[in-house]
C-alpha cells in the first residue's frame, strides 16, 4: 500500500505481475485516497474483488454510510465528524468513477471482463492522475477548465495571473490611446488654429503638459472659444497626463520586475535553500542608501551638464544663461525670461523637459525618503535581533504568546501551542513583517478569514481533505435542495 500510494506508476507495474495489493485496493488508495482500513473492509469483509464488482454492488451512494464507513473504526462512532465525512466523500468519488468506467465497458458490448476493466481504470489513473487534484481544485472554486484555459494563453500571462497584481491590459491600452488623442488634439490646434509649424506645436504641447509654461506660445485670447478650449485643455491635460503616465510607468515596471524575478529564480535557485539567504547587515544596507543618494545627485548633475553643453552649442548664450535656463526648466518653474529661439534648440528642449523633469522628480523623491529609509533599516535590524542568536524555552513561550502570533492563529492552533509551544516558519516570517510595519494586521486578518472558510477540516492547512469535504457538502446540499423541491 505504501508503494502504491507514493509511487503509483511503480505500484501499478508491480500489481500487474501479482506482487502488490489487488487492483481494487490500488484504485481506492492511490486514486481516491480512501483510508486503508476502509479499503481492507471492502476487499476482505465485503469480498469485493474487482472494480467492476465495486461499481455494481451498490445502487445508490446513500448506502456507503450504512454498509462501509459505519462499520470501520474510528469512523463509525463519529459519522458526523469531518474525518468520517471525508472518507465518505472519497468512497463516493471512487464509486462514481467506477460507475463511469463500468458504463464504458457496457457501451463496448460487454467485451471487457472484470480484470480487463481494472486495466482500463488503471490506465486512466496513470494518464489522468496528475490532473485529478487540479480538477478537484477547479470544482472547489466552481471554475471550469475551459475558463482557466481561455483566461491564460502564454507563460507570461500565467505568471502575471499567479502574481495577482498585474495591471489590466485594457487600462494600459486606454492610457496610451488617451495620451495619443490628447497630443493629436493639441497638435491640430497649433497647426490649424494658431498657424504654428509641427516643431512649434509639439514644443507648445510639452511646455504645457509639463507645467513649465515659458509663455512664448499660448492660446489666442481674441476669441472666447480659444480661452475656453485652452482652460479645459490645460486642466484635463494635467489630469490625464498624470493618471495615464502613472498607469503606463506602473505597468512597465511590473513587467520588468516580473521578468527580473523570474531571471533571479532561474539563476539563483540555490539561494532559496535554507541557510543560504544573505544575512542582514545594517552598516552595509546603510552604505547602500548613501550610495543611492549620491547616485541621484550625480544624475541631476549629469542632466544639467548635458543641457548646458547642448544649449551653449545651439544658442548664443553664456554659461550662466545656459545653467539658469536648464535649472529653471527641469524644476518646471519656467519664468520665460530666457527662451530658445532656433528650431534645433526647441527640438532638444522638447526631449530635455521630459527627461530632465523625470530625473529630478525621481531623485528628489529618493533624497526626500532618505531619513525614512534609514529609520526603516534600523527598525528592521531591531526586529531581526529580538531573539538574538539563541533560543530557549522562555523566548519560545514569549514568542508564542505575543499579540501578533496569537492574532494570526486559529483557536485550535492557540490551544495546541499552549500545551507545547511552537511556531512554524511562515508564522515567524509574518511576525517579523508585522514588527517591521511592512504588513498591516487588518489586511492579514482578511486573508486569514478567507483561508479559514476554505479550511473545512480545521487542520490549519489546505489539502485534498478540504477539497473532498467541500465536494461532499456540495453533494449533500444539492440532494437536500432536490428533496425539498419534491415535497408537496
Amino acid at each position: 500500500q505504501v508503494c502504491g500510494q507514493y509511487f503509483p506508476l511503480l505500484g501499478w507495474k508491480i500489481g500487474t505481475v501479482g506482487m502488490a495489493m489487488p487492483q481494487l485496493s490500488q484504485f481506492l488508495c492511490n486514486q481516491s485516497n480512501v483510508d486503508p482500513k476502509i479499503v481492507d473492509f471492502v476487499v476482505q469483509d465485503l469480498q469485493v474483488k474487482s472494480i467492476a464488482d465495486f461499481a455494481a454492488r451498490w445502487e445508490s451512494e446513500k448506502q456507503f454510510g450504512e454498509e462501509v464507513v459505519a462499520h470501520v473504526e474510528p469512523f463509525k462512532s463519529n459519522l458526523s465528524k469531518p474525518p468520517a465525512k471525508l472518507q465518505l466523500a472519497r468512497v463516493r468519488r471512487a464509486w462514481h468513477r467506477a460507475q463511469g468506467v463500468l458504463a464504458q465497458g457496457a457501451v463496448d458490448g460487454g467485451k471487457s471482463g472484470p480484470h480487463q476493466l481494472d486495466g482500463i481504470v488503471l490506465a486512466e489513473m496513470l494518464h489522468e492522475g496528475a490532473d485529478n487534484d487540479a480538477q478537484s481544485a477547479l470544482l472547489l472554486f466552481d471554475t471550469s477548465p475551459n475558463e482557466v484555459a481561455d483566461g491564460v494563453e502564454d507563460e507570461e500571462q500565467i505568471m502575471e495571473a499567479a502574481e495577482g497584481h498585474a495591471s489590466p491590459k485594457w487600462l494600459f491600452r486606454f492610457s496610451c490611446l488617451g495620451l495619443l488623442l490628447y497630443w493629436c488634439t493639441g497638435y491640430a490646434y497649433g497647426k490649424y488654429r494658431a498657424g504654428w509649424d509641427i516643431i512649434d506645436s509639439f514644443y507648445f504641447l510639452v511646455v504645457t503638459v509639463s507645467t513649465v509654461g515659458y509663455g512664448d506660445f499660448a492660446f489666442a485670447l481674441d476669441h472666447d472659444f480659444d480661452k475656453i478650449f485652452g482652460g479645459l485643455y490645460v486642466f484635463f491635460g494635467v489630469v490625464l497626463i498624470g493618471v495615464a503616465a502613472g498607469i503606463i510607468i506602473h505597468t512597465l515596471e511590473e513587467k520588468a520586475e516580473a521578468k527580473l524575478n523570474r531571471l533571479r529564480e532561474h539563476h539563483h535557485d540555490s539561494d532559496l535553500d535554507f541557510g543560504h539567504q544573505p544575512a542582514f547587515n545594517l552598516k552595509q544596507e546603510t552604505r547602500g542608501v548613501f550610495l543611492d543618494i549620491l547616485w541621484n545627485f550625480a544624475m541631476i548633475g549629469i542632466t544639467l551638464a548635458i543641457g548646458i553643453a547642448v544649449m551653449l552649442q545651439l544658442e548664443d548664450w553664456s554659461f550662466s544663461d545656459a545653467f539658469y535656463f536648464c535649472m529653471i526648466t527641469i524644476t518646471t518653474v519656467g519664468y520665460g525670461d530666457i527662451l530658445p529661439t532656433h528650431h534645433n534648440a526647441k527640438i532638444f528642449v522638447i526631449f530635455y523637459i521630459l527627461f530632465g523633469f523625470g530625473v529630478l522628480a525621481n531623485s528628489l523623491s529618493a533624497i526626500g525618503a532618505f531619513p525614512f529609509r534609514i529609520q526603516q533599516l534600523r527598525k528592521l535590524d531591531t526586529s531581526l535581533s529580538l531573539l538574538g542568536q539563541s533560543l530557549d524555552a522562555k523566548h519560545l513561550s514569549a514568542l508564542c504568546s505575543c499579540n501578533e502570533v496569537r492574532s494570526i492563529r486559529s483557536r485550535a492552533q492557540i490551544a495546541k501551542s499552549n500545551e507545547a509551544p511552537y511556531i512554524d516558519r511562515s508564522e515567524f516570517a509574518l511576525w517579523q513583517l508585522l514588527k517591521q510595519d511592512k504588513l498591516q494586521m487588518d489586511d492579514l486578518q482578511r486573508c486569514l478569514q478567507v483561508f479559514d472558510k476554505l479550511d473545512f477540516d480545521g487542520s490549519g492547512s489546505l489539502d485534498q481533505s478540504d477539497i473532498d469535504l467541500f465536494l461532499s457538502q456540495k453533494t449533500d446540499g444539492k440532494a437536500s435542495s432536490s428533496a425539498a423541491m419534491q415535497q408537496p
Side-chain angles (χ1 to χ4, degrees):
Q1 292 177 356
V2 174
C3 179
Q5 182 175 358
Y6 293 100
F7 304 98
L9 179 61
L10 179 59
W12 174 73
K13 288 184 176 180
I14 295 176
T16 58
V17 295
M19 296 178 60
M21 56 185 170
Q23 291 174 339
L24 175 59
S25 300
Q26 291 185 7
F27 172 67
L28 294 175
C29 286
N30 298 347
Q31 185 67 3
S32 302
N33 295 323
V34 177
D35 189 272
K37 295 180 180 178
I38 296 179
V39 176
D40 291 340
F41 177 79
V42 171
V43 174
Q44 297 177 10
D45 295 7
L46 299 182
Q47 295 296 309
V48 179
K49 298 300 183 182
S50 67
I51 299 175
D53 294 340
F54 178 76
R57 181 178 180 87
W58 294 280
E59 296 180 358
S60 68
E61 60 182 26
K62 294 182 179 179
Q63 297 174 343
F64 294 139
E66 299 175 357
E67 296 190 18
V68 180
V69 181
H71 294 277
V72 180
E73 287 288 358
F75 309 109
K76 67 178 184 180
S77 57
N78 297 296
L79 290 177
S80 61
K81 298 296 183 180
K85 290 184 177 181
L86 171 63
Q87 294 303 318
L88 180 59
R90 290 178 175 178
V91 176
R92 284 176 177 175
R93 183 175 61 182
W95 180 74
H96 281 294
R97 184 173 177 80
Q99 286 280 330
V101 178
L102 182 62
Q104 179 183 351
V107 171
D108 293 339
K111 296 180 181 180
S112 298
H115 296 287
Q116 292 173 322
L117 189 59
D118 291 342
I120 294 174
V121 174
L122 291 173
E124 280 193 325
M125 289 165 53
L126 294 174
H127 180 68
E128 301 178 3
D131 298 332
N132 185 57
D133 291 341
Q135 292 172 355
S136 300
L138 293 176
L139 290 173
L140 175 62
F141 295 102
D142 286 334
T143 305
S144 67
N146 291 333
E147 291 175 349
V148 177
D150 294 338
V152 288
E153 298 176 353
D154 54 25
E155 182 180 355
E156 184 175 354
Q157 288 179 331
I158 292 173
M159 294 301 296
E160 290 179 354
E163 290 168 3
H165 63 269
S167 299
K169 286 188 175 182
W170 68 267
L171 192 58
F172 175 78
R173 293 168 182 171
F174 183 79
S175 301
C176 293
L177 180 61
L179 287 177
L180 180 62
L181 290 176
Y182 180 81
W183 282 68
C184 290
T185 303
Y187 169 74
Y189 176 87
K191 179 70 175 180
Y192 301 105
R193 180 76 177 179
W196 301 329
D197 59 23
I198 184 172
I199 295 178
D200 288 339
S201 297
F202 278 106
Y203 171 79
F204 167 74
L205 278 173
V206 173
V207 171
T208 300
V209 299
S210 63
T211 68
V212 173
Y214 292 130
D216 48 346
F217 289 87
F219 294 97
L221 301 179
D222 299 334
H223 300 86
D224 293 338
F225 169 80
D226 296 276
K227 297 177 184 178
I228 296 175
F229 174 80
L232 294 175
Y233 186 79
V234 171
F235 174 77
F236 286 106
V238 172
V239 175
L240 177 63
I241 293 297
V243 175
I247 293 173
I248 293 173
I249 293 174
H250 178 67
T251 302
L252 296 177
E253 287 179 347
E254 280 184 341
K255 291 182 177 294
E257 184 178 358
K259 292 181 179 179
L260 182 60
N261 290 336
R262 291 198 293 269
L263 184 64
R264 288 174 177 172
E265 291 176 0
H266 179 72
H267 291 285
H268 301 284
D269 288 341
S270 61
D271 291 342
L272 299 178
D273 296 334
F274 179 75
H276 291 275
Q277 294 90 344
F280 177 79
N281 189 309
L282 179 60
K283 292 183 178 180
Q284 184 176 354
E285 296 293 334
T286 304
R287 188 182 303 112
V289 174
F290 278 103
L291 291 177
D292 186 38
I293 298 300
L294 293 177
W295 168 252
N296 282 282
F297 275 115
M299 286 297 299
I300 296 175
I302 293 172
T303 302
L304 285 173
I306 293 174
I308 293 171
V310 174
M311 295 307 295
L312 286 175
Q313 295 294 325
L314 300 179
E315 296 285 352
D316 188 20
W317 293 348
S318 64
F319 175 83
S320 59
D321 289 339
F323 173 82
Y324 175 80
F325 171 80
C326 291
M327 188 64 76
I328 295 301
T329 297
I330 64 175
T331 57
T332 71
V333 175
Y335 289 124
D337 45 354
I338 299 180
L339 298 169
T341 56
H342 299 86
H343 270 28
N344 291 338
K346 291 179 181 179
I347 294 175
F348 170 76
V349 169
I350 290 174
F351 295 97
Y352 186 71
I353 289 176
L354 299 176
F355 175 75
F357 175 70
V359 170
L360 185 67
N362 181 71
S363 299
L364 292 181
S365 176
I367 295 171
F370 170 74
F372 301 100
R373 294 175 64 184
I374 296 297
Q375 182 182 8
Q376 188 67 29
L377 288 176
R378 291 175 178 173
K379 184 180 293 185
L380 175 60
D381 180 65
T382 302
S383 176
L384 295 175
S385 305
L386 285 175
L387 295 178
Q389 301 296 326
S390 61
L391 180 68
D392 54 27
K394 182 180 179 181
H395 290 158
L396 180 59
S397 177
L399 181 59
C400 294
S401 60
C402 69
N403 293 331
E404 293 84 0
V405 174
R406 293 180 64 88
S407 298
I408 64 179
R409 283 180 165 176
S410 63
R411 294 181 178 178
Q413 290 174 317
I414 294 176
K416 181 180 178 181
S417 179
N418 290 336
E419 296 177 359
Y422 77 97
I423 184 168
D424 61 31
R425 203 176 186 204
S426 299
E427 292 174 337
F428 185 85
L430 291 175
W431 170 67
Q432 284 285 319
L433 292 174
L434 290 170
K435 283 293 185 182
Q436 298 165 23
D437 292 334
K438 293 182 178 180
L439 189 63
Q440 299 298 322
M441 180 59 74
D442 292 340
D443 298 331
L444 183 56
Q445 290 287 359
R446 295 187 183 99
C447 297
L448 293 175
Q449 288 175 2
V450 175
F451 180 91
D452 292 338
K453 291 180 181 180
L454 299 175
D455 186 16
F456 287 91
D457 59 2
S459 62
S461 61
L462 298 181
D463 50 24
Q464 187 65 34
S465 303
D466 299 293
I467 297 177
D468 292 333
L469 283 173
F470 170 81
L471 296 177
S472 176
Q473 292 184 8
K474 191 173 184 181
T475 303
D476 294 340
K478 290 182 178 179
S480 300
S481 301
S482 301
M485 293 178 62
Q486 293 176 358
Q487 290 180 357

